[in-house]
Amino acid sequence: MTTSDALPHYVDSNRLEHFVNYEVVGKTALRVQRWRDQWKIARRQPRPNSPLNPPLRCVAHMKEIMSRHYLEGRYASGVRKVAWVTSGAPTEPLQALGYFLVYPENHAALCGVRRKAQSIAEEAEHAGWSRDICSYARTDIGSMISGQTPAGRLPRPDMLVCCTNICQTVLHWYRVLADYFGCPLVLIDTPFLYQEAHDHELAYVRRQIEDMICVAEEIAGKPLDHRRFEEVMTNAKRGAELWLDVLNRSQHRPAPMTAFDGFIHMGPIVDMRGEAVTVAYYERMIAELDERIARGIGAIKDERYRVLWDNLPIWFKIGEFSTWLAERGVNVLASTYTYAWGELAPMIDPDHPLDSMARVYLHPVLNRSAGHKLDAMKRMVDEFEIDGVILHSDRSCKPYSLGQIDQRDRLVKTLGVPALLLEADHNDPRDYSDEQGSTRLEAFVEMMEARA
Amino acid sequence: MPIHYPRALLRAHRLHPIEVWGPPHVERHEGSRHFQVYTCDIVVKAMSFLRSGGLDVARAILVPHTCDALQGMGSVLGDFLRPDQRVLTLYLPRGRRTSDHDFLRRELGRLSQTLVDLNGHHPSDRDWAEAFEAEDAADAALADLYRRRAKIAVSDRDFYAIVRSREYLTAEQFCEQAGALPEGDAPHLGVGLMISGIVAEPLELFDQIEAMGAYVAGDDLACGFRRVYSLSAENDPFERSANRLLTSPADPTCGTPIQVRVDTLQTRMRAMGARGLLIYDPKFCEPELFDVPLLRKHLNEAGFPVLHVEFEMGDTLPHQTLSRIEAFVETLS
């Protein structure tokens, strides 16, 4: 029997497994889990000693959505075409073509939150990858080599899409993936914007998106359905607008959510922008935030200082930081990082999808100069009535971190805002010292107290 | 700043490029006021050099977009430090597709217009022709040096001193120096090595390799062979410059697929009689660090041992670095 004779049976068995394990059993189990979580949250009594107010109820829905996404990934091979993509990649045409999307960065963050990142990254280090490269990359390469993942299993990619609008690291990382998986790597190269975008830069990105669509159509074996594409673009725009609204709710006093909540709740807009479920989720979230605002309920019980976070989160410290800072009356309520998935919403135009995608994917904050990022921080200091800024000097993320020393100096000198450079890493606990970190954070809080 | 940039274009605008790869003898201190400890020496030391007046002679500072570290440098210079010199940037595409070519042609046109604004000189057809003639001759001289290496009777240190003089000499001076190298058998004894990485600093490295009983059969250095460009005869100066830049040999900073880099290295190592690959990189060089494990894996499979050494730029080589290279040479002997 030839391989092609065997293929239909193979594909069918995948479809059956997908239907039973994901569509029937998995979805049902996750729905039941969500009901249980909602019930628990509803019955939870506020802990008198906790500096935090009870979590948002919608977190149960978010958990269900994200778990469903990863669960489907386990059974996606042979059922849907799979693309592994960077977090800033122009994915809307791929969604319209029915691809299942895997975001290795999000997967690495998941490993970080579950405190599995170090052991998985060590697999990559043992295979020769240096500790000086990005810990997201090490985590995913380690996962790829060893098969270890808290997500159960990641589907093998049919194509890789790498967009350099977040860093050059992804290009080097995805070259490694391409070598390992032997599948096509589509590059969307986005010139870094030291100033405003030029026409030839926009034309370059647009043309590469067109080329990506051709490759994706060929692999999918079908042409792009333009009606579906428009629908995805409309959802992407609406989802980004809603996400921006979610984040801007923290301009209220007290802020109804923390930036640490934002880091967790950004999952759908990163992994599933363009999907109706994301729109519905953020509508639900806004309704709950508005309810909190109306009742004067803040994310923390005693909000004395309002703080802006710059750069990626320290995933393995989110819970601890949230509580530690809240105990001192500090609400870290905004971040430049989470804003990146919302602030470009006005640029998305479903009527001109390719032109607007070129513009949107060229303009993320990470693809813009250090001066632009400083301006964005200054604006946020004003709009969110910020008392201090924590700049996470992230060893793994050089494009985000280089420039922070001058940014901090200017925040202090021109706005008079206390600003702290906190040395750490987004995923590798070995690059964060609890003792030094606490000492510096204590001093930072004292500076805000002295200024109050 | 390194690595790739349009020489003829600068010359047509009456500018002479001098490359800044560090420099090694400068302290990190001044640069560390702007960049974190995990930033590579090339960027931090260049910043120190600039802040200490080392670049006062320059009319402008061009930062080609080579990696995240140089991106950060361009941004900090342009947005915060604002030195007396004009800070210019150039985005080099990471592919070799038609779209990359078209983009680069227009990007070079943009840079050219900026230089017109800076210098007040609009290059004539004659300026362009003269610039390409001179720079093509120097490029050809560099390629010829590599081609004739076995028949040039100078040590590796002297050879690389000449190769690297392209970083600061004019095209004419470089051609003269390259042409003056004595013919004869290269004094190569012992084990042949291929050396890869960004920059082989200090030049003493070559003396030490020789003392260990090895020689450099060929290189894959960003400051060396990766800049042996093909020549182009296009009439349009931007088309011609783009062709030149996009025909450089395999280079991770240009996004070359790893397998292509492996194949290229393997072919050249066989042709040159190199027995092993020494990858010699400044610390924190991500483009290089991602490739190392796969270069090691694929080249080992092809029978070529690989040693990776990271260094901090300085005037001397640490003993530990030398010991590792020595042990590597011994295993190849």
Side-chain angles (χ1 to χ4, degrees):
Chain A
M1 186 187 282
T2 64
T3 312
S4 57
D5 289 337
L7 196 58
H9 166 70
Y10 173 69
V11 170
D12 283 347
S13 77
N14 279 343
R15 284 190 187 284
L16 183 65
E17 201 177 33
H18 181 270
F19 179 73
V20 174
N21 292 347
Y22 169 64
E23 292 287 354
V24 180
V25 179
K27 279 185 174 177
T28 308
L30 289 172
R31 196 173 302 127
V32 171
Q33 180 64 45
R34 191 239 303 160
W35 289 335
R36 289 177 57 186
D37 289 343
Q38 283 176 309
W39 185 75
K40 271 193 215 166
I41 291 171
R43 286 177 56 90
R44 186 179 292 170
Q45 294 297 317
R47 282 179 291 170
N49 295 334
S50 172
L52 299 162
N53 274 319
L56 293 164
R57 294 190 306 273
C58 62
V59 77
H61 276 90
M62 205 263 311
K63 206 171 138 191
E64 182 190 12
I65 293 169
M66 295 306 293
S67 302
R68 210 161 57 195
H69 178 72
Y70 276 104
L71 181 68
E72 183 175 12
R74 284 197 209 187
Y75 304 105
S77 290
V79 178
R80 295 173 66 178
K81 291 296 177 190
V82 176
W84 285 27
V85 297
T86 55
S87 62
T91 53
E92 288 82 358
L94 303 177
Q95 279 174 310
L97 278 161
Y99 276 78
F100 181 81
L101 303 178
V102 174
Y103 289 80
E105 293 151 71
N106 183 287
H107 171 256
L110 175 73
C111 297
V113 172
R114 301 270 181 92
R115 298 183 181 238
K116 303 278 185 203
Q118 184 181 328
S119 62
I120 298 176
E122 279 169 358
E123 296 284 344
E125 290 159 26
H126 294 152
W129 275 278
S130 165
R131 262 192 69 185
D132 289 332
I133 65 168
C134 167
S135 55
Y136 272 173
R138 271 182 287 134
T139 306
D140 275 311
I141 292 171
S143 174
M144 178 181 83
I145 294 169
S146 66
Q148 290 181 49
T149 165
R153 184 174 62 215
L154 295 179
R156 201 180 166 87
D158 295 293
M159 73 184 289
L160 301 162
V161 179
C162 166
C163 185
T164 57
N165 58 4
I166 48 171
C167 57
Q168 293 296 313
T169 301
V170 290
L171 171 63
H172 307 301
W173 172 3
Y174 274 59
R175 287 162 68 246
V176 171
L177 297 181
D179 186 83
Y180 184 85
F181 290 114
C183 65
L185 165 59
V186 175
L187 169 67
I188 309 287
D189 194 7
T190 48
F192 184 77
L193 301 182
Y194 291 97
Q195 290 148 358
E196 292 308 308
H198 297 98
D199 287 347
H200 71 290
E201 292 165 328
L202 287 161
Y204 178 44
V205 178
R206 184 194 150 119
R207 191 162 160 192
Q208 292 177 88
I209 295 172
E210 288 170 340
D211 290 346
M212 177 193 76
I213 293 172
C214 292
V215 175
E217 285 177 328
E218 199 178 322
I219 292 171
K222 61 181 178 186
L224 182 65
D225 176 342
H226 287 274
R227 240 180 50 193
R228 172 70 185 133
F229 184 28
E230 195 183 314
E231 191 182 306
V232 171
M233 287 294 292
T234 304
N235 283 338
K237 183 176 177 67
R238 187 69 191 129
E241 284 169 346
L242 288 166
W243 176 240
L244 192 61
D245 286 346
V246 163
L247 298 175
N248 283 338
R249 289 300 193 268
S250 285
Q251 290 178 9
H252 288 270
R253 266 182 197 268
M257 63 180 269
T258 69
F260 302 115
D261 294 324
F263 293 138
I264 301 297
H265 287 271
M266 70 191 286
I269 195 66
V270 177
D271 280 26
M272 285 170 272
R273 61 181 178 274
E275 291 188 19
V277 69
T278 302
V279 173
Y281 177 68
Y282 289 127
E283 280 170 348
R284 178 187 296 275
M285 191 169 175
I286 285 173
E288 189 178 346
L289 290 171
D290 285 345
E291 185 189 318
R292 278 196 170 208
I293 290 167
R295 294 168 60 194
I297 300 172
I300 73 172
K301 286 178 182 166
D302 178 21
E303 181 184 287
R304 278 174 284 151
Y305 309 111
R306 295 163 65 86
V307 167
L308 169 67
W309 181 277
D310 180 51
N311 213 326
L312 277 76
I314 303 170
W315 289 110
F316 53 91
K317 281 283 170 192
I318 280 188
E320 273 177 56
F321 272 15
S322 182
T323 309
W324 192 94
L325 289 161
E327 280 167 353
R328 288 151 181 83
V330 177
N331 189 3
V332 179
L333 51 85
S335 94
T336 54
Y337 182 61
T338 47
Y339 235 65
W341 277 268
E343 64 187 342
L344 301 179
M347 285 187 185
I348 304 173
D349 180 359
D351 293 332
H352 301 93
L354 294 178
D355 283 334
S356 73
M357 281 174 77
R359 188 166 287 281
V360 166
Y361 287 101
L362 194 54
H363 280 86
V365 68
L366 262 169
N367 201 45
R368 305 201 65 182
S369 72
H372 174 85
K373 192 149 74 68
L374 175 66
D375 290 341
M377 281 195 271
K378 284 179 172 174
R379 206 168 43 245
M380 290 175 86
V381 165
D382 181 43
E383 288 171 359
F384 287 81
E385 297 176 358
I386 294 293
D387 300 303
V389 182
I390 298 174
L391 299 104
H392 167 205
S393 171
D394 185 349
R395 194 179 172 90
S396 273
C397 192
K398 292 182 179 67
Y400 219 137
S401 303
L402 301 192
Q404 280 181 323
I405 295 176
D406 286 284
Q407 287 162 350
R408 179 198 56 190
D409 289 351
R410 275 156 180 77
L411 285 168
V412 173
K413 283 176 190 156
T414 62
L415 296 186
V417 177
L420 168 75
L421 203 65
L422 186 65
E423 295 286 344
D425 185 278
H426 55 240
N427 235 26
D428 195 332
R430 293 169 291 180
D431 290 319
Y432 177 72
S433 159
D434 268 319
E435 212 168 294
Q436 280 180 21
S438 302
T439 308
R440 290 177 64 75
L441 283 165
E442 288 278 12
F444 172 66
V445 176
E446 281 169 20
M447 278 161 65
M448 287 193 293
E449 279 170 354
R451 194 169 163 260
Chain B
M1 295 296 142
I3 302 174
H4 303 288
Y5 60 93
R7 277 181 171 277
L9 186 148
L10 297 180
R11 183 176 173 124
H13 281 276
R14 299 181 177 163
L15 291 165
H16 171 59
I18 294 175
E19 298 173 21
V20 182
W21 294 74
H25 60 273
V26 171
E27 294 296 322
R28 278 180 68 103
H29 179 69
E30 195 64 36
S32 297
R33 293 184 183 188
H34 303 279
F35 295 110
Q36 287 94 329
V37 290
Y38 46 79
T39 314
C40 90
D41 272 351
I42 290 177
V43 164
V44 179
K45 291 194 168 190
M47 187 62 91
S48 292
F49 192 49
L50 168 76
R51 300 289 283 168
S52 63
L55 297 180
D56 286 355
V57 65
R59 184 85 194 272
I61 301 170
L62 174 64
V63 188
H65 196 292
T66 306
C67 58
D68 288 329
L70 276 167
Q71 171 185 299
M73 180 176 194
S75 203
V76 167
L77 277 175
D79 288 340
F80 300 136
L81 286 186
R82 297 188 181 144
D84 293 339
Q85 303 93 331
R86 179 82 176 265
V87 178
L88 307 170
T89 56
L90 171 71
Y91 192 83
L92 297 162
R94 274 24 179 207
R96 294 289 182 269
R97 305 158 296 188
T98 316
S99 55
D100 301 311
H101 184 281
D102 292 349
F103 164 77
L104 183 55
R105 188 168 43 78
R106 294 180 67 183
E107 177 72 350
L108 291 167
R110 180 194 64 80
L111 175 64
S112 179
Q113 188 52 52
T114 311
L115 294 177
V116 171
D117 300 341
L118 172 79
N119 242 3
H121 170 67
H122 203 298
S124 64
D125 288 348
R126 194 171 162 183
D127 289 330
W128 284 113
E130 185 273 334
F132 276 107
E133 190 182 339
E135 294 300 336
D136 282 359
D139 279 351
L142 180 66
D144 193 49
L145 275 184
Y146 275 101
R147 205 166 25 245
R148 294 190 295 119
R149 174 64 189 108
K151 292 291 171 198
I152 298 175
V154 295
S155 66
D156 287 335
R157 181 189 179 126
D158 290 343
F159 179 79
Y160 280 95
I162 295 292
V163 166
R164 296 201 57 196
S165 68
R166 179 90 169 106
E167 293 166 16
Y168 53 88
L169 292 181
T170 63
E172 289 82 353
Q173 288 167 333
F174 177 76
C175 287
E176 194 181 321
Q177 290 235 25
L181 285 175
E183 287 186 15
D185 287 341
H188 283 164
L189 294 171
V191 180
L193 288 180
M194 175 74 87
I195 183 166
S196 183
I198 298 293
V199 59
E201 284 282 1
L203 283 174
E204 178 207 350
L205 174 71
F206 297 103
D207 294 336
Q208 295 289 348
I209 289 174
E210 192 182 324
M212 291 168 195
Y215 68 92
V216 176
D219 80 74
D220 171 43
L221 292 166
C223 70
F225 188 78
R226 284 188 211 165
R227 301 201 292 180
V228 175
Y229 304 102
S230 298
L231 304 182
S232 165
E234 294 288 341
N235 285 328
D236 176 68
F238 307 123
E239 184 84 27
R240 193 163 170 175
S241 295
N243 280 348
R244 174 181 178 272
L245 291 169
L246 293 179
T247 55
S248 59
D251 184 339
T253 69
C254 303
T256 308
I258 292 171
Q259 194 55 54
V260 172
R261 193 174 173 205
V262 168
D263 293 344
T264 310
L265 276 169
Q266 216 174 295
T267 307
R268 289 189 59 225
M269 286 174 79
R270 286 221 168 85
M272 292 171 166
R275 301 253 288 270
L277 177 68
L278 168 63
I279 306 174
Y280 188 80
D281 288 321
K283 249 187 106 51
F284 305 117
C285 183
E286 265 203 350
E288 291 286 318
L289 287 174
F290 269 96
D291 279 17
V292 169
L294 292 174
L295 289 182
R296 182 179 284 129
K297 174 177 172 276
H298 293 305
L299 288 171
N300 280 347
E301 284 166 4
F304 294 111
V306 174
L307 173 69
H308 180 226
V309 174
E310 286 183 286
F311 69 99
E312 284 171 13
M313 281 186 146
D315 292 331
T316 55
L317 283 161
H319 183 70
Q320 196 188 8
T321 303
L322 293 174
S323 300
R324 292 189 62 208
I325 299 173
E326 191 167 18
F328 182 61
V329 170
E330 279 171 17
T331 60
L332 298 176
S333 301

